[in-house]
Structures are given as C-alpha cells and as structure tokens.
C-alpha cells in the first residue's frame, strides 16, 4: 500500500474534517493540496468541501491561489492573510 492510500484510509477511519486534514498535512511538512485530494481523503461531497474551505478561508487558515488548488497557511502567517513567502534561493559563489 502506498503512502497516499495509507493516509487516505487513516483520514477516513478518523472521520476527519477539513481543518484536521489541513493540520495533518502541515504536520507532515506539506502545505499544498488539491480539491480532489481533500474530497477523496475526507469522503465528502464537493459542495461540503467548498463550504468547509470557505470557512477556513474566512479564518485565514486556507489560501486558494488557483481553482482547485489550496495552500494551508501556517499559524505564524495567519495575520498576513496569505501563505508564507518562498525561501530565498542562494547562488553559489562559483556559479556563473
């Protein structure tokens, strides 16, 4: 069984909600997910997902930069109302 299916089964057995799904992803070092991924993992309808996602967006816990793609906002960035900036890219001194 691959990791995704293991995670999917774990979420379904726990009877999880979208906030718990987001927290679980963050605890595993992930902050992005798709609508289809969340619907499959939670076993809910698209309408239920959209309502739950809208509630999290109002609380600045979720950011939707593109249709069907979501970014979980880590707690320390909630006041920014956006996801954290990407880490800086450092160039090597010997790179041209």
């Amino acid at each position: 069984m691959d990791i995704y299916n293991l995670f999917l089964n774990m979420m379904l057995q726990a009877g999880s909600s979208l906030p718990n799904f987001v927290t679980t992803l963050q605890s595993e070092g992930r902050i992005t997910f798709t609508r289809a991924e969340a619907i499959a993992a939670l076993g809910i309808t698209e309408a239920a997902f959209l309502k739950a996602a809208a509630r999290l967006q109002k609380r600045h816990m979720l950011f939707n930069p593109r249709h069907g793609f979501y970014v979980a906002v880590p707690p320390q960035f909630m006041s920014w109302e956006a996801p954290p900036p990407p880490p800086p890219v450092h160039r090597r001194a010997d790179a041209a």
Side-chain angles (χ1 to χ4, degrees), residues 1-13 21 24-25 28 30 32-44 49:
M1 179 180 279
D2 66 7
I3 297 283
Y4 177 75
N5 285 330
L6 181 63
F7 178 70
L8 175 65
N9 289 335
M10 200 170 53
M11 294 300 291
L12 287 173
Q13 289 173 1
F21 175 77
T24 301
L25 285 180
E28 295 173 350
R30 287 186 56 195
T32 62
F33 63 94
T34 65
R35 177 190 312 173
E37 182 180 6
I39 289 171
L42 297 171
I44 59 176
F49 170 79

Side-chain angles (χ1 to χ4, degrees), residues 87-93 95:
V89 176
H90 299 286
R91 289 179 47 139
R92 291 187 350 210

